[in-house]
Amino acid sequence: MTTTAAFGWGNSHLLTTPAGEVDLDPAGQLAVQQTLARYAFALDHGDPVALEGVLAEHATWTASIAGEAEQGPFIGRAAILDLVREETEAQTEQRRHNLVNLVFHHAEADTAVVCAYLMLTSNAGGSPTVIATGFYAFTLRHAEGEWRIAKVFVGLDNAA
């Protein structure tokens, strides 16, 4: 697939952070960030147990390539785990999901909406290469003492 994003294609998914919308103390914000980091590590290491640990039971996962090609939504933790297993079984190289520029759009005691840029790298061919850029929009819920990802939207600027 050769779809490439036009400038601003993901604006409807990326939200700015108005002052006063984040009502979560620094420890809570760090816990949310750690959940997202564990999500990325689980993808990178093909670790379904770790991935299951950060996803809510009824989580949804949707992807778009430059607003033109859609994948999903995949509904429920089991469906997302099946998707990840299928995708990682075909990989022969090590990929890294680098989440950068995390922005809290909204946060309170039991809900957080966070956007982050994605730089997906690969070691295929023996040297590190950026194979895709894009962004994530996450909705997380706090229950039973931990943050879980309830909704994932990944927008890729190009096909990986």
Side-chain angles (χ1 to χ4, degrees), residues 2-27:
T2 59
T3 301
T4 302
F7 177 76
W9 82 268
N11 287 349
S12 64
H13 301 285
L14 293 171
L15 309 168
T16 59
T17 306
E21 290 268 340
V22 177
D23 187 20
L24 193 60
D25 66 20

Side-chain angles (χ1 to χ4, degrees), residues 36-121:
L36 299 179
R38 290 188 354 249
Y39 167 83
F41 272 74
L43 293 176
D44 295 342
H45 295 281
D47 187 344
V49 173
L51 187 57
E52 183 175 4
V54 298
L55 293 172
E57 183 179 349
H58 302 290
T60 62
W61 187 97
T62 306
S64 175
I65 301 172
E68 295 182 17
E70 302 288 327
Q71 187 178 17
F74 294 87
I75 300 170
R77 184 189 300 146
I80 297 167
L81 291 170
D82 287 344
L83 169 69
V84 170
R85 279 188 201 100
E86 182 180 307
E87 292 293 324
T88 56
E89 283 176 5
Q91 288 179 16
T92 58
E93 84 280 17
Q94 178 64 61
R95 292 185 177 188
R96 303 280 184 216
H97 291 75
N98 301 278
L99 302 181
V100 297
N101 295 350
L102 271 75
V103 174
F104 281 77
H105 171 67
H106 175 82
E108 52 192 36
D110 63 351
T111 305
V113 178
V114 179
C115 294
Y117 285 141
L118 167 67
M119 182 173 57
L120 183 60
T121 59

